[in-house]
Amino acid sequence: MRFSSEMIVQTLSGVFGYDSFLPAQEEVISSLLAGKSTLAVMPTGSGKSLCYQLPALLLPGLTIVVSPMISLMKDQVMQMQALGVKAEMHHSGMSFEDLIAVRSKIRARALKLLYVAPETLTKDEFLGQFTDIEVDLIAIDEAHCISTWGHDFRPEYRQLGRLKQIFPQAVCFALTATATHRVRKDICAQLAIPLENQFIESFNRKNLLLTVEPKRNTYPRLLNFLAAHAHESGLIYCFTRKHVDDLADRLQTDGYSALPYHAGLSDIQRNQNQEAFIRDEVKIIVATIAFGMGINKSNIRFVVHYDLPRSLETYYQEIGRSGRDGLPSVCLLFSSYSDLITLQNIIQRKEHPERIEVALEQLNAMMNYVRTNGCRRIPLLNWFGEKYSTPGCGMCDNCIGEEGESADASIQAQKFLSAVYRSGQIFAVNHIIDILRGSRAGKVKDNNHDQLSVYGIGREWNKEQWFCLCQQLTKQGFLEEQMPYFSLRLNEKSWQILHKETQFLMPKSLASALMDKTRANCDQTLWERLQALRYRISQERNLPPYIVFSDATLREMASFFPQSLESLKQISGVGEYKLKEYGRDFLEAIQAYASINGIIDSTPTKHTREKPAAQNQSTRIGELFKSGKSLQEIMIHSGIKLDTVLQHLCKYVQGGGSLPWEPLKQASTLSEEDFARVCAAFSELGSDTISPIYQKLN
Ligand code: ADP
Ligand code: ZN
């Protein structure tokens, strides 16, 4: 069966209301529509669901979606129904009547999408429904659950390998946001997906603003932060249930709309709190790591880590819950040395002996992220095996901070470094701070450190300030930290400070610079009114607000002021069905506001507007190569020949992009000597034309 690109684009804009694809969506959809079973590994928020939802609408038969969690199924079904698509779910938690109703819809061929739990799909009794029903596509969400190598193995998923025999004509689509090489291989093997049908996207979430602050004066700082994010939804993660309860209480007392969420609450209470958050009835959830697994809320605008996370895996997953709609969202982490010690102690005491080393290594990676003075995306993405080296992401405190102000802290740096030196360079930061602050701790006395000349010379600063200084010293390379005990040691650069040959500068607050990055670029008053309208409609229809329209859609409205149905239809996220359902209400609100303020409609039509998402192919290929994909992988990924890949890379460089040298060199088939000869010839003769080079090298 052939599907023209017009049909695909028409469905994208008519049903979903989008004018262009996000990276990889088009390729994945084409692969599925060409009848190829496919695996897509794409990060949260990259629009994986659309990759099967759109084909489901074009294919004549039914699409079955396997999903591991009822809450996710529910969310997806609501999303689809809100677009006017015939979608239902089928799981053991439903009433008998509801199940019968769904089954009769299946047999009446009245559904396009059916969401089921994995254990349902392999039951013979359930499969009996499908004897003469055409199933064209089977999408397996969270496909990493199929692999025993994955972090979330589910035995029910193992049965899904049988689907190929049960529905031999159906195309299989596995999708996941987490999969190591091993897990990917496993998924492909289990589901008979050819290895060349894998699409792997970069895990860089460009719209997340990453920032780390020292954990001192934390509560007032948090209030400042929240004040800047009034009316926005966000999550605050704490380490223990008690912290969660205390912080949620405190925020409530101070007038914030906040609720707790942790495993100590009753199921009912937890569900209620989660539901209130999803429906924007409460703005902030204070939670332990338990929160967030089953939610799809797209308009989470910030994630705060009040306590230090124990690994980059948890951290990435938790911050990943924000900004699914693609709008800028802030991820703020408060880091402190005492949290680090607490976590180390917990690991030593509670982890399984075999896991201790790994857990400490994970914690160490977390600390490298916290301490880096380079772009935060580098340690984060590198930890997940992605070679990320682009300088200046513009969306982390360090990249933004480069432009920021700093203060001279040379005197304190000298004090700190001499305390390290005089105590023998075998102690960690806490002990050094105890010495500087003249502590009476046993460890100080036992080591006779109260006799040192530096004892008590740093009382002008509190512990957190000293910790922050130490963090900056290590970050800027003036001090070394030795594993496994984080003992501090001087290096050559330390002596420059001790000999007063160099100044030591500490960055000042980045808060204002950061705020500018995420401030909504639209009419604030209208944006708030539209949010209020969306909230009212969502309450009437008993739907979460983000399902009525996403934040991204409302912000477009508040920046283009569409004042006719025709204009409104041009807004991203406004498809035909939603236009019919909610168009009038939103139009009236915009018209009323625009006429009072004399604002004209400036909505561009969808196909004339700039398309940031649909990069040209050379840029995409250039970026893939930079993210560490090999030429081979790019050929497979993009379905093009080596020559064409190279041509695109050339264009990328000619267009001002730069490529990493080592991987290019590795990809070449030349020997070292030949390579050197070629390079020499190029530097001698230039690279404008190739023929002199050929002649010279014979
Ligand atoms: P994932 O499953 O990968 O986490 P989702 O499928 O939930 O991502 O999509 C994330 C967000 O992006 C959703 O709000 C979705 O509506 C939106 N989206 C998907 N495709 C597009 C597109 N082509 N253009 C604009 N927004 C899109
Ligand atoms: Zn950066």
Side-chain angles (χ1 to χ4, degrees), residues 12 16-22 25 42-51 53 76 79 141 175 177 296 298 323-326 546 550 552 572-573 613:
L12 181 70
F16 297 90
Y18 299 135
D19 53 331
S20 55
F21 286 106
L22 299 177
Q25 280 182 333
M42 291 155 69
T44 308
S46 58
K48 285 189 291 298
S49 334
L50 187 119
C51 295
Q53 289 161 348
Q76 295 278 344
Q79 300 255 21
D141 204 358
L175 53 155
N296 241 336
S298 72
R324 272 167 166 257
D325 52 14
Y546 67 90
S550 74
S572 174

Side-chain angles (χ1 to χ4, degrees), residues 91-234:
H91 61 79
S92 50
M94 287 162 64
S95 72
F96 184 68
E97 292 78 36
D98 286 348
L99 289 176
I100 296 289
V102 171
R103 288 180 177 206
S104 67
K105 283 187 189 173
I106 297 172
R107 281 193 304 275
R109 296 172 176 76
L111 290 181
K112 288 311 306 178
L113 279 150
L114 176 68
Y115 288 80
V116 299
E119 58 277 13
T120 311
L121 190 52
T122 44
K123 278 202 189 108
D124 291 338
E125 180 263 342
F126 176 71
L127 289 168
Q129 312 296 313
F130 294 95
T131 31
D132 47 34
I133 300 293
E134 179 179 339
V135 175
D136 291 329
L137 177 61
I138 299 176
I140 299 175
D141 204 358
E142 312 288 346
H144 56 273
C145 297
I146 210 169
S147 172
T148 42
W149 296 108
H151 59 85
D152 197 13
F153 171 61
R154 288 170 189 246
E156 318 85 82
Y157 263 68
R158 218 57 186 179
Q159 303 297 320
L160 297 176
R162 278 179 56 210
L163 291 176
K164 202 76 215 150
Q165 293 131 40
I166 306 170
F167 301 106
Q169 77 291 5
V171 174
C172 177
F173 177 38
L175 53 155
T176 168
T178 48
T180 58
H181 184 69
R182 207 174 212 170
V183 173
R184 283 189 338 238
K185 255 180 80 178
D186 212 6
I187 297 175
C188 288
Q190 297 274 331
L191 298 172
I193 297 174
L195 285 174
E196 62 272 18
N197 292 354
Q198 293 184 57
F199 292 85
I200 303 155
E201 268 303 299
S202 162
F203 272 64
N204 181 17
R205 300 273 316 272
K206 291 184 183 154
N207 60 322
L208 303 190
L209 197 157
L210 309 175
T211 171
V212 179
E213 286 191 26
K215 190 171 173 179
R216 57 186 144 93
N217 269 336
T218 320
Y219 188 69
R221 276 174 189 245
L222 178 69
L223 293 190
N224 272 343
F225 178 85
L226 294 179
H229 293 274
H231 313 298
E232 293 181 353
S233 291

Side-chain angles (χ1 to χ4, degrees), residues 533-691:
L533 171 62
R534 172 178 70 175
Y535 183 72
R536 210 193 69 215
I537 294 177
S538 77
Q539 292 278 328
E540 282 165 16
R541 306 253 176 158
N542 196 20
L543 285 175
Y546 67 90
I547 288 191
V548 174
F549 280 130
S550 74
D551 277 17
T553 301
L554 291 200
R555 288 206 189 171
E556 268 205 10
M557 292 182 190
S559 58
F560 294 136
F561 310 96
Q563 289 164 51
S564 65
L565 282 172
E566 200 36 53
S567 278
L568 197 58
K569 212 165 113 184
Q570 306 304 322
I571 298 291
S572 174
V574 184
E576 277 152 22
Y577 192 80
K578 286 192 178 178
L579 185 74
K580 205 169 80 216
E581 289 290 300
Y582 317 119
R584 285 257 154 248
D585 288 339
F586 281 86
L587 207 54
E588 272 170 26
I590 301 168
Q591 281 166 340
Y593 182 77
S595 78
I596 295 173
N597 295 287
I599 302 171
I600 55 162
D601 180 345
S602 58
T603 317
T605 60
K606 271 179 184 158
H607 50 270
T608 59
R609 92 168 61 167
E610 264 183 59
K611 292 181 181 170
Q615 289 167 339
N616 76 38
Q617 209 183 2
S618 305
T619 313
R620 257 179 67 63
I621 288 176
E623 310 245 293
L624 279 175
F625 190 71
K626 272 165 89 166
S627 77
K629 300 272 172 298
S630 68
L631 295 176
Q632 226 70 28
E633 282 170 317
I634 297 176
M635 283 162 60
I636 292 169
H637 183 123
S638 314
I640 53 182
K641 293 192 305 238
L642 181 63
D643 276 356
T644 323
V645 175
L646 291 175
Q647 278 166 14
H648 281 297
L649 290 180
C650 256
K651 271 200 202 147
Y652 179 73
V653 173
Q654 283 160 355
S658 67
L659 294 177
W661 179 236
E662 254 328 293
L664 270 182
K665 201 169 151 195
Q666 278 166 16
S668 136
T669 49
L670 294 177
S671 70
E672 279 285 329
E673 296 110 84
D674 285 346
F675 198 84
R677 281 178 60 220
V678 173
C679 290
F682 270 112
S683 37
E684 186 189 333
L685 303 167
S687 54
D688 293 338
T689 48
I690 198 97
S691 52

Side-chain angles (χ1 to χ4, degrees), residues 352-529:
H352 194 273
E354 284 169 15
R355 280 253 328 143
I356 291 182
E357 205 178 321
V358 179
L360 286 175
E361 198 187 319
Q362 288 175 329
L363 182 58
N364 199 16
M366 187 69 232
M367 284 315 283
N368 286 340
Y369 170 86
V370 165
R371 286 180 184 162
T372 184
N373 57 351
C375 177
R376 297 214 185 269
R377 288 183 153 72
I378 296 174
L380 185 62
L381 292 167
N382 287 355
W383 179 252
F384 295 106
E386 189 170 323
K387 289 179 202 142
Y388 180 90
S389 56
T390 324
C393 76
M395 283 292 275
C396 78
D397 49 358
N398 288 336
C399 290
I400 299 170
E402 288 190 330
E403 309 128 29
E405 278 180 81
S406 36
D408 187 357
S410 305
I411 307 262
Q412 279 78 15
Q414 284 156 12
K415 291 183 180 178
F416 193 91
L417 294 175
S418 41
V420 171
Y421 182 66
R422 285 172 200 281
S423 56
Q425 309 192 56
I426 50 169
F427 294 95
V429 58
N430 243 9
H431 186 71
I432 304 296
I433 297 177
D434 280 348
I435 298 175
L436 287 168
R437 296 194 19 90
S439 151
R440 292 170 197 277
K443 199 172 163 193
V444 176
K445 282 235 153 89
D446 295 348
N447 286 290
N448 282 335
H449 287 163
D450 51 347
Q451 304 302 314
L452 295 176
S453 58
V454 287
Y455 181 73
I457 60 165
R459 290 198 173 93
E460 76 273 26
W461 274 11
N462 66 25
K463 263 189 148 178
E464 285 300 333
Q465 283 171 300
W466 283 113
F467 173 59
C468 186
L469 176 105
C470 173
Q471 207 175 7
Q472 279 295 325
L473 281 169
T474 8
K475 258 174 95 166
Q476 298 185 31
F478 290 108
L479 189 61
E480 306 290 328
E481 214 174 28
Q482 305 288 312
M483 290 306 127
Y485 300 112
F486 296 92
S487 47
L488 298 171
R489 215 158 68 188
L490 304 194
N491 61 19
E492 276 171 33
K493 277 183 82 182
S494 323
W495 291 101
Q496 297 172 0
I497 292 185
L498 286 166
H499 292 147
K500 302 184 185 161
E501 290 159 6
T502 187
Q503 229 188 353
F504 178 67
L505 300 174
M506 296 245 295
K508 279 191 182 166
S509 156
L510 292 161
S512 57
L514 294 175
M515 274 304 299
D516 290 346
K517 290 274 174 182
T518 52
R519 192 161 289 137
N521 185 10
C522 64
D523 186 311
Q524 283 299 315
T525 316
L526 181 57
W527 157 234
E528 278 164 30
R529 285 194 192 176

